[in-house]
Amino acid sequence: MYTRHMSVPKRLVVGLSGASGIPYALDLLQTLRRIPGLETHLVMTQGAKRVLVEEAELSLEAVEALAHVVHRSSDLGAPVASGSFRTVGMVVVPCSATTLSKVAYGLADNLLTRAAYVTLKERRPLVLVPRETPLPLPSLEAMVRAAQAGATILPAAPGFYHKPKAIDDLLAFMTQRILDLFGLEYPRAPRWGEVRELELD
């Protein structure tokens, strides 16, 4: 009888797909790195790497260094492709319209979409962060279908009640919302009704 007990690290899969909004992903990765005991597994599509060149001043190597483990999008044999690899869930930020549709209809043709499929299959939290606007009917229908399958649709639409003074404040708002959905504690942005100032790293 198998009785060996092992301590399983708290793991979160972070997927980056080819949509505008890479700064949201970078802010999230930088914040996740500061949370003790959390292990991040990064999957970037080729599209995400292309957008990275246009939207960020960081190199691919610098972005990958923000995660604990990096997986190639073509590696369908990676641990995150299996439901037996335990995680607290997965977030796709930014989530392109193509990736959204693939997730909605269970098309697992790369590691990111396979990991998303597995996350839904195992009934773990899956957060999709689309940024495109306006939204055509196919994307709206895909959002509904993905939500019906168990995903949470979190559009990249930061609020303004915290009186943002810089772009970083808007990024922080979205990062805080993502952390909340996974029950991860890190003070990234003021909440509605808070009067105290947060001291951020």
Side-chain angles (χ1 to χ4, degrees):
M1 182 177 179
Y2 187 73
T3 58
R4 184 183 178 187
H5 295 283
M6 298 177 64
S7 176
V8 179
K10 183 182 291 186
R11 307 178 181 118
L12 178 67
V13 182
V14 180
L16 278 63
S17 63
S20 179
I22 290 294
Y24 289 111
L26 298 182
D27 190 86
L28 176 64
L29 286 168
Q30 290 163 351
T31 302
L32 293 174
R33 191 74 185 190
R34 300 174 186 147
I35 300 178
L38 180 67
E39 182 180 286
T40 54
H41 288 250
L42 175 64
V43 183
M44 292 182 67
T45 65
Q46 290 302 118
K49 294 176 183 178
R50 177 65 180 85
V51 177
L52 175 66
V53 174
E54 302 293 335
E55 296 190 349
E57 297 179 356
L58 291 179
S59 67
L60 175 60
E61 292 73 22
V63 173
E64 291 180 338
L66 295 173
H68 295 91
V69 183
V70 178
H71 304 283
R72 298 190 314 276
S73 62
S74 60
D75 185 9
L76 291 175
V80 296
S82 172
S84 65
F85 185 77
R86 286 185 283 181
T87 72
V88 297
M90 179 178 182
V91 56
V92 182
V93 53
C95 182
S96 68
T98 297
T99 295
L100 170 66
S101 295
K102 289 180 179 180
V103 172
Y105 291 92
L107 179 58
D109 63 339
N110 59 47
L111 183 59
L112 190 155
T113 52
R114 169 62 190 177
Y117 173 85
V118 165
T119 302
L120 291 176
K121 177 175 73 73
E122 299 297 325
R123 299 294 191 269
R124 296 167 185 160
L126 173 64
V127 178
L128 305 178
V129 186
R131 193 225 48 85
E132 280 192 293
T133 189
L135 292 167
L137 182 59
S139 292
L140 292 171
E141 290 177 337
M143 287 182 185
V144 170
R145 191 174 182 92
Q148 290 172 335
T152 296
I153 310 300
L154 180 66
F160 289 85
Y161 57 77
H162 62 305
K163 296 180 174 60
K165 296 178 174 59
I167 290 177
D168 283 350
D169 297 328
L170 299 175
L171 300 177
F173 182 96
M174 291 305 304
T175 291
Q176 189 74 72
R177 298 294 291 133
I178 293 170
L179 297 180
D180 288 350
L181 289 171
F182 291 101
L184 298 172
E185 296 292 334
Y186 192 88
R188 192 65 186 91
R191 300 177 184 279
W192 177 256
E194 283 186 344
V195 294
R196 65 183 178 85
E197 292 185 359
L198 296 177
E199 293 184 4
L200 306 179
D201 291 344

